[in-house]
Amino acid sequence: MTHPSPPSLPPAKFGIVDLFAGPGGLDIAATIMKDEGVESIGVEWDDATRATRAAAGLLTTEVKDVAALGPCDPSVVEATVLTGGPPCQSFSVAGSRKGHQALDDVLRLATRLADHEDEAAFDVAWKEVKAETDSMSDDRTGFVLQPLRWIMEAKLKRRRPYEVIVLEQVPTVLPVWKHFVDILRRTGYAAEAHVLHTEDFGVPQTRRRAVLIAQFDPENVHRKVRFPEATHQRYRKGAERLPPTHDHQDGSLFRTSRSGGDVEPWVSMGDALHATRTSEFVMVSNYGSGGDPKNRGRRESGEPAPTITGKVRRNRLYPLRKAGSGEIVIRKEEELERLSPAEAGLLQSFPSVYPWRSTDVAQQIGNAIPPRLSLHILSMALLREPPQEKWYTLLKEWRPQPQEEPPLSAAPPAPGRRSTPPQSSPPVSSSASVRPRTGASAKSSAK
């Protein structure tokens, strides 16, 4: 009896291995860029998230644990590009003693992994670093070092460095990326790290991401690395929304402007949810409130959403009403249906038909990098030019590819009006609670 071969990345001009891949925010962008020679395979621990990826037709390694793989493994050996968003819980408490300690630990340990000239010396250093991170009270602190291990092993063991590296995380991880930049320059890469705002790129949500881009260029490591340039208006509380600068003959939802330095207005919640939310509304969000009801933010449907997190279902929506003074009036008895998984996904710039799986997909959605942002980052990192206009239409019109295996479970829509029928598959339980201490994914909803 023959057994099917395990999934592996096919040879490609830009073959991406995506660590801590999540539900596919970056991989969807890669599929849209396929004509440019882009292929991708993700490494993901959580079973429910893997089910979402399978339903979307995304390639995922058979081995779930990032730490159990490496650049020489047959499933990923063809990769020329390394991407990843390591878990960020340890750094999400930045400003606290524990947050500072986690940051200091990673910077110190990363230094011990740098500047090794041979495989044996690196193996000794990695063994010592891993022993220390495994012994920490929060072993997730060491996850951010996994991409650095892959980078060093690609050069020293595979003897073929990654041509491009893209890492992204919450802004509190920026000092780690800056430290990685110094290490990567000594390893032969031109590298830079900056914070990007998602609404700058047409995502209907305010969210900041610390992004590192590195390109192997041993003879020119100090050259400038081009980052995506804003195509849309930056959101600021109380600011007026700009008028559109272009007509969009292709009917695309997400606008962009690529000439003259002009930017389009931000993309609003109302723009993204026009098919299911036909009237103006206000969203009351817990994000950034610290649990204090007095600090709950309010955004009108003409504004981008606040950061979508794993607690997105706690956000409350009401019809938009204003008093004579212009102040928003909330009537609790008029509360609207809360966001469905499809709607929350749209606010992350996922396609409306994205096949979310599991009984609770909020964590997957909150953890994901927005596909729209991924298009900008990958296009600039790989091609060194802005995304092609047609890609935005392809993202909007994306449909799941034929599945080789049935999904394990489905995400039920919220009760009430919804355009998609309920799914009847059994639930998938998350495996996060039994995750080993070797570096598997454990992302937080506050990404």
Side-chain angles (χ1 to χ4, degrees):
M1 178 178 179
T2 59
H3 297 279
S5 300
S8 61
L9 181 69
K13 181 178 181 181
F14 300 110
I16 299 172
V17 56
D18 187 19
L19 309 183
F20 311 100
L26 184 139
D27 301 85
I28 288 298
T31 65
I32 289 170
M33 296 173 64
K34 189 178 183 70
D35 287 347
E36 299 296 328
V38 181
E39 298 280 356
S40 70
I41 188 170
V43 187
E44 174 56 42
W45 171 263
D46 181 67
D47 284 338
T49 305
R50 289 173 65 89
T52 294
R53 293 179 60 85
L58 301 178
L59 198 59
T60 308
T61 58
E62 188 173 61
V63 177
K64 302 177 183 180
D65 189 353
V66 165
L69 283 174
C72 298
D73 189 89
S75 64
V76 296
V77 72
E78 297 291 342
T80 61
V81 179
L82 178 78
T83 66
C88 62
Q89 290 95 329
S90 298
F91 306 99
S92 295
V93 290
S96 69
R97 182 184 62 81
K98 289 184 177 180
H100 282 302
Q101 183 61 54
L103 179 59
D104 291 343
D105 285 340
V106 166
L107 297 180
R108 173 177 54 83
L109 295 173
T111 301
R112 290 169 61 182
L113 298 177
D115 304 323
H116 295 285
E117 297 296 332
D118 61 78
E119 177 180 341
F122 177 80
D123 282 344
V124 170
W126 175 249
K127 183 177 180 180
E128 294 171 350
V129 167
K130 186 177 182 301
E132 184 169 344
T133 57
D134 284 352
S135 68
M136 291 178 177
S137 58
D138 187 347
D139 60 292
R140 298 170 299 184
T141 300
F143 290 171
V144 75
L145 295 171
Q146 284 293 337
L148 188 57
R149 173 182 72 85
W150 281 64
I151 293 165
M152 296 304 178
E153 288 188 357
K155 181 178 182 180
L156 298 174
K157 295 186 177 183
R158 191 178 67 166
R159 303 193 184 281
R160 182 161 49 93
Y162 292 112
E163 296 175 11
V164 177
I165 297 163
V166 174
L167 303 177
E168 58 84 26
Q169 250 310 330
V170 292
T172 51
V173 182
L174 185 62
V176 177
W177 291 167
K178 293 285 190 181
H179 191 56
F180 278 22
V181 164
D182 293 337
I183 293 172
L184 290 172
R185 285 175 177 166
R186 302 201 301 267
T187 311
Y189 290 87
E192 291 186 25
H194 301 288
V195 172
L196 301 180
H197 294 244
T198 57
E199 77 271 23
D200 285 359
F201 304 98
V203 178
Q205 171 198 181
T206 56
R207 188 186 194 97
R208 296 188 304 143
R209 307 301 294 169
V211 177
L212 178 153
I213 297 177
Q215 296 153 342
F216 194 65
D217 193 356
E219 303 302 319
N220 199 11
V221 296
H222 292 289
R223 69 166 169 80
K224 183 176 179 60
V225 175
R226 292 186 63 193
F227 266 66
E229 296 181 2
T231 57
H232 288 68
Q233 176 188 8
R234 176 77 53 83
Y235 172 79
R236 291 179 176 85
K237 187 176 182 179
E240 290 189 12
R241 191 183 187 193
L242 295 174
T245 61
H246 288 69
D247 292 327
H248 302 277
Q249 302 299 326
D250 63 359
S252 58
L253 169 62
F254 300 111
R255 307 179 180 96
T256 186
S257 171
R258 297 175 59 186
S259 62
D262 294 331
V263 294
E264 288 284 354
W266 62 63
V267 178
S268 71
M269 291 185 284
D271 293 334
L273 306 183
H274 68 280
T276 54
R277 306 280 175 173
T278 56
S279 301
E280 292 184 308
F281 61 88
V282 59
M283 178 184 289
V284 181
S285 168
N286 281 332
Y287 185 75
S289 69
D292 184 351
K294 297 179 182 178
N295 295 333
R296 286 176 182 162
R298 297 180 178 184
R299 295 274 180 94
E300 300 178 22
S301 51
E303 299 173 300
T307 300
I308 300 299
T309 75
K311 298 180 175 61
V312 63
R313 286 282 293 170
R314 296 184 183 180
N315 293 354
R316 298 177 182 272
L317 290 87
Y318 302 89
L320 180 60
R321 300 183 185 278
K322 292 188 177 181
S325 61
E327 183 178 354
I328 294 176
V329 177
I330 299 293
R331 297 176 180 173
K332 293 185 177 181
E333 67 275 11
E334 294 183 342
E335 182 179 350
L336 304 172
E337 295 172 12
R338 300 191 185 186
L339 293 175
S340 70
E343 288 177 320
L346 281 167
L347 296 179
Q348 277 274 55
S349 75
F350 277 89
S352 60
V353 296
Y354 206 69
W356 303 105
R357 294 295 185 262
S358 174
T359 54
D360 179 11
V361 301
Q363 196 73 31
Q364 295 180 40
I365 296 171
N367 287 343
I369 181 173
R372 172 87 178 191
L373 178 63
S374 295
L375 278 175
H376 283 266
I377 294 173
L378 286 182
S379 185
M380 196 59 73
L382 303 182
L383 308 177
R384 306 187 190 186
E385 61 185 29
Q388 298 176 23
E389 189 76 23
K390 67 180 181 180
W391 293 349
Y392 305 123
T393 302
L394 292 175
L395 178 59
K396 176 188 175 185
E397 297 175 350
W398 179 92
R399 295 292 184 272
Q401 299 300 309
Q403 302 174 29
E404 294 184 0
E405 55 182 305
L408 299 180
S409 71
R417 68 177 193 287
R418 289 292 176 261
S419 58
T420 55
Q423 309 267 349
S424 57
S425 305
V428 172
S429 61
S430 172
S431 55
S433 61
V434 293
R435 180 175 290 109
R437 297 170 63 87
T438 56
S441 176
K443 299 178 182 179
S444 90
S445 63
K447 291 181 66 184

